[in-house]
Short mmCIF file of all heavy atoms in Angstrom, two decimals:
data_model
loop_
_atom_site.label_atom_id
_atom_site.label_comp_id
_atom_site.label_asym_id
_atom_site.label_seq_id
_atom_site.Cartn_x
_atom_site.Cartn_y
_atom_site.Cartn_z
N GLU U 965 -0.54 20.44 -11.04
CA GLU U 965 -1.68 20.21 -10.15
C GLU U 965 -1.45 20.95 -8.83
O GLU U 965 -0.43 21.61 -8.65
CB GLU U 965 -1.88 18.70 -9.90
CG GLU U 965 -0.69 18.03 -9.26
CD GLU U 965 -0.83 16.51 -9.13
OE1 GLU U 965 -1.95 16.00 -9.05
OE2 GLU U 965 0.23 15.85 -9.11
N GLY U 966 -2.41 20.83 -7.92
CA GLY U 966 -2.25 21.42 -6.59
C GLY U 966 -1.42 20.49 -5.72
O GLY U 966 -1.11 19.36 -6.11
N THR U 967 -1.05 20.97 -4.53
CA THR U 967 -0.19 20.15 -3.66
C THR U 967 -0.87 18.83 -3.30
O THR U 967 -0.20 17.82 -3.14
CB THR U 967 0.13 20.90 -2.35
OG1 THR U 967 -1.10 21.26 -1.72
CG2 THR U 967 0.97 22.14 -2.61
N SER U 968 -2.20 18.84 -3.17
CA SER U 968 -2.91 17.60 -2.85
C SER U 968 -4.25 17.55 -3.57
O SER U 968 -5.24 17.08 -3.03
CB SER U 968 -3.11 17.45 -1.34
OG SER U 968 -3.90 18.53 -0.87
N ASN U 969 -4.27 18.06 -4.80
CA ASN U 969 -5.53 18.11 -5.56
C ASN U 969 -5.22 18.36 -7.03
O ASN U 969 -4.13 18.78 -7.37
CB ASN U 969 -6.43 19.23 -5.01
CG ASN U 969 -5.66 20.50 -4.72
OD1 ASN U 969 -5.17 21.16 -5.65
ND2 ASN U 969 -5.49 20.83 -3.46
N ASN U 970 -6.19 18.10 -7.87
CA ASN U 970 -6.06 18.39 -9.30
C ASN U 970 -6.59 19.79 -9.58
O ASN U 970 -7.46 20.29 -8.86
CB ASN U 970 -6.82 17.33 -10.13
CG ASN U 970 -6.14 15.96 -10.05
OD1 ASN U 970 -6.72 15.00 -9.55
ND2 ASN U 970 -4.92 15.87 -10.54
N ALA U 971 -6.05 20.42 -10.63
CA ALA U 971 -6.33 21.83 -10.92
C ALA U 971 -7.10 21.98 -12.24
O ALA U 971 -6.83 21.26 -13.22
CB ALA U 971 -5.02 22.60 -11.01
N TYR U 972 -8.03 22.92 -12.26
CA TYR U 972 -8.91 23.16 -13.42
C TYR U 972 -9.12 24.65 -13.63
O TYR U 972 -9.14 25.42 -12.66
CB TYR U 972 -10.32 22.58 -13.18
CG TYR U 972 -10.36 21.14 -12.77
CD1 TYR U 972 -9.98 20.76 -11.49
CD2 TYR U 972 -10.79 20.16 -13.65
CE1 TYR U 972 -10.01 19.43 -11.11
CE2 TYR U 972 -10.84 18.83 -13.27
CZ TYR U 972 -10.43 18.47 -12.00
OH TYR U 972 -10.46 17.15 -11.61
N ILE U 973 -9.37 25.03 -14.88
CA ILE U 973 -9.86 26.37 -15.16
C ILE U 973 -11.10 26.25 -16.04
O ILE U 973 -11.33 25.19 -16.67
CB ILE U 973 -8.80 27.27 -15.86
CG1 ILE U 973 -8.29 26.61 -17.16
CG2 ILE U 973 -7.64 27.56 -14.91
CD1 ILE U 973 -7.38 27.51 -17.98
N VAL U 974 -11.87 27.30 -16.09
CA VAL U 974 -13.07 27.33 -16.94
C VAL U 974 -13.02 28.61 -17.76
O VAL U 974 -12.83 29.70 -17.21
CB VAL U 974 -14.37 27.33 -16.09
CG1 VAL U 974 -15.60 27.29 -17.00
CG2 VAL U 974 -14.38 26.20 -15.08
N LYS U 975 -13.11 28.45 -19.08
CA LYS U 975 -13.11 29.63 -19.95
C LYS U 975 -14.23 29.48 -20.98
O LYS U 975 -14.31 28.45 -21.65
CB LYS U 975 -11.74 29.75 -20.65
CG LYS U 975 -11.58 30.97 -21.51
CD LYS U 975 -11.39 32.24 -20.68
CE LYS U 975 -11.21 33.47 -21.55
NZ LYS U 975 -11.12 34.71 -20.77
N ASP U 976 -15.09 30.47 -21.07
CA ASP U 976 -16.24 30.43 -21.98
C ASP U 976 -17.00 29.12 -21.82
O ASP U 976 -17.39 28.48 -22.83
CB ASP U 976 -15.77 30.60 -23.44
CG ASP U 976 -15.05 31.92 -23.65
OD1 ASP U 976 -15.43 32.91 -22.98
OD2 ASP U 976 -14.09 31.97 -24.45
N GLY U 977 -17.17 28.68 -20.61
CA GLY U 977 -17.96 27.48 -20.32
C GLY U 977 -17.21 26.17 -20.48
O GLY U 977 -17.72 25.12 -20.12
N LYS U 978 -16.00 26.24 -21.04
CA LYS U 978 -15.22 25.01 -21.25
C LYS U 978 -14.30 24.73 -20.06
O LYS U 978 -13.60 25.61 -19.58
CB LYS U 978 -14.39 25.14 -22.53
CG LYS U 978 -13.71 23.84 -22.93
CD LYS U 978 -12.61 24.05 -23.94
CE LYS U 978 -13.15 24.43 -25.32
NZ LYS U 978 -12.05 24.73 -26.26
#
Side-chain angles (χ1 to χ4, degrees):
E965 60 185 333
T967 56
S968 61
N969 43 67
N970 291 116
Y972 307 73
I973 55 173
V974 183
K975 184 74 179 176
D976 300 326
K978 188 196 289 176

